[in-house]
Structure formats: structure tokens, C-alpha cells
Amino acid sequence: QVQLVESGGGLVQAGGSLRLSCAASGRTFSIYVMGWFRQSPGKEREFVAALSWSGSRTYYADSMKGRFTISRDNAKNTVYLQMNSLKPEDTAVYYCTAGQVLSSESSAFGSWGQGTQVTVSS
């Protein structure tokens, strides 16, 4: 019973930056982890990054390390994904997610946002 709303997607040229936001509402007391996945047409949903509220630990997929940064604003129940040095291969629908167990598997998360499109042009 957690609602997630993403924002910040759009069109950007290769090498540019974009910041995604995800605001959580509802039964936020049940959230242990918030994170981001992405999915391109014909591909599996791919883990991007996640943040553990307890201890403020962060985790990244190898391909995102050094370019993407996940952070949070506890007062706003909001998680952010700062994306730098964007590449055309980063083009995807980005989904915010929340759950109780840290995992890189999408099946481990119980709440999902509607997704926001990120398009990186060459």
C-alpha cells in the first residue's frame, strides 16, 4: 500500500545529465529499500541502483557505477537518481520501486511507480 510517483524524465543528448525523483506516500513505514530499475523494449527489467534507509547504504549495478548517484530526502520520503554522462544505451523507462528486502531482482520489490521515459540521443 505504498504509492510511488516518478518525475524528471525527458530527452537529453549524449553526455548530458538528468535527475529523476520518486516520492513515496501511503504506508511508508513499511519501506526498507527504495531503488530504481529500467527497461528497454525487448529487454529484461534491469537493476540500476538502490538505497537502504537503515544505514543509508547504496548499491549500484556495475554499468552505472561512477555515473549514477542515488540519494534520499527523508523528510520528503523521496529518492533521487542523478544521472551523469548519459549514453544512448541508457535510454529506457525508469521505474522507482520500494520494498522490505534489498535485492537486484525486481521480484523482491512490492511497490512500483508508473515509470518515466529517459531518452538519450546521440
Side-chain angles (χ1 to χ4, degrees):
Q1 297 297 318
V2 176
Q3 293 77 49
L4 303 172
V5 180
E6 304 104 325
S7 62
L11 175 65
V12 64
Q13 294 185 26
S17 299
L18 208 60
R19 189 179 76 158
L20 307 182
S21 300
C22 176
S25 61
R27 302 180 66 178
T28 56
F29 65 87
S30 65
I31 297 175
Y32 175 68
V33 172
M34 291 187 69
W36 295 89
F37 285 73
R38 68 185 186 186
Q39 188 167 25
S40 299
K43 296 183 179 180
E44 297 288 328
R45 187 163 294 189
E46 178 186 24
F47 173 74
V48 175
L51 181 150
S52 174
W53 290 100
S54 178
S56 298
R57 293 169 292 174
T58 57
Y59 303 88
Y60 300 91
D62 288 341
S63 61
M64 264 61 79
K65 290 180 180 178
R67 298 191 299 123
F68 291 8
T69 302
I70 188 170
S71 61
R72 71 177 184 182
D73 184 331
N74 186 62
K76 297 181 179 180
N77 287 320
T78 298
V79 66
Y80 305 93
L81 183 68
Q82 178 67 45
M83 304 184 292
N84 298 325
S85 301
L86 284 165
K87 307 173 182 179
E89 62 202 64
D90 295 318
T91 296
V93 177
Y94 284 71
Y95 296 92
C96 178
T97 189
Q100 298 176 318
V101 179
L102 181 65
S103 177
S104 61
E105 299 292 332
S106 61
S107 60
F109 295 88
S111 300
W112 295 86
Q114 81 287 349
T116 184
Q117 177 71 47
V118 172
T119 302
V120 184
S121 62
S122 60

